Amino acid sequence: MAENITLMQFFHWYYPHDGSLWNKLREEAAHLEEAGITGLWLPPAYKAVSEWDTGYSTYDLYDLGEFDQKGSVRTKYGTRKQYLEAIRACHKHHIQVLADVVFNHKAGGDEKERFPVRKVNPDNRNEFISDVYEIEAYTKFTFPGRKGKYSKFIWDWHCFTGVDHADDTGEDAIFSIQNQYGEGWEEVTDGELGNYDYLMFNDIETRNPAVKEELKKWGEWYLSTADLDGFRLDAVKHINPAFLEEWVRHMRSVSGRPLFVIGEYWQTNSKDPSQQFIEKTGRQIQLFDAVLHMNFHHASQRGKDYDLRTVFDGTLVQADPTTAITLCDNHDTQPLQALESPVDFWFKPLAYAMILLREQGIPCIFYAAYYGVKYTDKGQDGQDYEITLSRVDELKTLVPLRRYKAYGAQRDYLDHANNIGWTREGDDEHPGSGLAVLMSNGTEGFKHMEMGPRHAGKTFKDALGFRKETVTIDDNGWAQFQCNAGSVSVWVTVE
């Protein structure tokens, strides 16, 4: 029988840098299976510029916490042995593992090289603002701690399209490396900043055939080493989509399995670039629905002044639901991070109900919402701020409801600015399935909704416990459901 997929991002930006995450995952795997989690997106597991780094300042893709490099053997999250043990524990408990793949850039080079560049206008990267001249930068990666184990490939300046720092002069700028693969940037999907190929550090040059082959070789090694079920691809809006399609197709070919592949294309103003990317990559890659996240953020800030009828407007899940991975928050949107746009706490149960209990999209819940986290970091004003992201207790109910109840035909009642709902009729494959959801961002709400004749005469209760009364479905399969002000209720059969 087909079960609903429910993903979790099993980390947050400020997870302690004590090497404990892989051990925690191994210990949590049984609980996560019982709760209804079917897949986990794990953070970058390979060596970054330091053991403090979250993993996105990637240094050595082959070092999973095995070699003494960049000041430690382990990564922020643990050792290679602990990582592989955690994956085995996940598989024992029928949880798929998606590895984070950072193909946009490398950081922490081992040696400086001298090479020709041209500076570009940071607001229009297609515009050169200098003639060709030479700089020195750390673009040679020899991985002395690994000593050629797994791969003898040496990265040098021919493997990169650009850098942002000249070590000989100390100048910070965006430098386009003038190599044999083109004086300009690689082709990317949309025209933001003229061309947004360059993001940070040493930008990887996928027009170089040797680089493409090395990344494929690494992917094969990673798949077999860690027994992975798929990938989350970082920063795909900054990478040539033709290369990503080629790489994903190759990985699926060598694995002999479908592989779950999700891309991070962070564009919150419009779904259009995301859809263009999906088509340019041959519909091989699903994407996080960044527009939906931003709609949740705005809805949570505006309260009763937000028109809930529009919450799915402009989203990927509305336009192309089979490609959409829906989310409430992630590590980049949490407070004090680069894309800070958190969903206010009162609205999170509503948002999670929308991604977990609807037919469209595959939901990915956030570690911080499931476990609750505290951390301190500096704000833009340079002052320290202590942040508490409380656990969303409703998730302990909503995730199992998705697993057992959220099946069958969906009827939408997105017809009131402050009070929306939908029903899922249930199906024969999942006994006891079916539910009705009602939510309000204003006053107490009520709505007459159809559950279907299969539920005629059945008694329903609010699984979240906010409403104490019960509801009986009439002979035609209809009933009036309620919810509290600024709240959500999920009505299921009384068993």
Side-chain angles (χ1 to χ4, degrees), residues 198-239:
Y198 187 82
L199 178 63
M200 62 178 70
F201 303 124
N202 300 310
D203 190 85
I204 290 177
E205 171 68 272
T206 63
R207 293 172 296 194
N208 181 333
V211 167
K212 284 205 292 188
E213 289 311 304
E214 173 64 8
L215 294 179
K216 288 179 183 177
K217 176 186 172 185
W218 170 77
E220 295 176 27
W221 171 86
Y222 198 14
L223 269 176
S224 61
T225 298
D227 191 20
L228 299 169
D229 304 291
F231 304 99
R232 180 265 187 188
L233 306 178
D234 183 58
V236 297
K237 71 186 284 185
H238 308 283
I239 304 173

Side-chain angles (χ1 to χ4, degrees), residues 148-163:
K149 188 175 182 181
Y150 306 128
S151 173
K152 299 187 185 306
F153 189 83
I154 301 298
W155 295 72
D156 63 19
W157 68 272
H158 299 282
C159 301
F160 303 108
T161 65
V163 296

Side-chain angles (χ1 to χ4, degrees), residues 104 186-193 195-199 233-241 244 263-269 273-274 277 287 339:
N104 182 72
E186 292 196 61
E187 178 187 343
V188 291
T189 299
D190 69 71
E192 189 176 354
L193 299 179
N195 178 299
Y196 215 165
D197 175 19
Y198 187 82
L199 178 63
L233 306 178
D234 183 58
V236 297
K237 71 186 284 185
H238 308 283
I239 304 173
N240 188 329
L244 289 173
E264 179 221 13
Y265 197 112
W266 205 255
Q267 166 58 268
T268 58
N269 295 324
S274 297
F277 174 86
L287 295 181
L339 301 173

Side-chain angles (χ1 to χ4, degrees), residues 44-93:
Y46 26 78
K47 193 63 57 71
V49 294
S50 79
E51 64 182 300
W52 295 61
D53 191 272
T54 307
Y56 293 100
S57 303
T58 301
Y59 168 66
D60 186 358
L61 294 171
Y62 286 98
D63 185 357
L64 301 175
E66 180 180 3
F67 305 100
D68 188 356
Q69 300 188 112
K70 297 302 173 186
S72 69
V73 173
R74 71 165 175 87
T75 68
K76 175 179 177 177
Y77 308 109
T79 65
R80 169 190 163 114
K81 180 174 182 289
Q82 293 165 342
Y83 177 57
L84 299 182
E85 286 174 349
I87 293 174
R88 285 193 290 271
C90 289
H91 288 160
K92 177 183 176 183
H93 292 285

Side-chain angles (χ1 to χ4, degrees), residues 295 298-299 302-313 347 414-420 441:
N295 286 357
H298 291 317
R302 294 174 58 188
K304 63 181 176 55
D305 294 327
Y306 185 88
D307 188 342
L308 284 176
R309 293 172 297 187
T310 69
V311 71
F312 295 109
D313 285 2
F347 194 79
L414 313 179
D415 54 1
H416 189 281
N418 301 117
N419 183 212
I420 62 171
N441 66 358

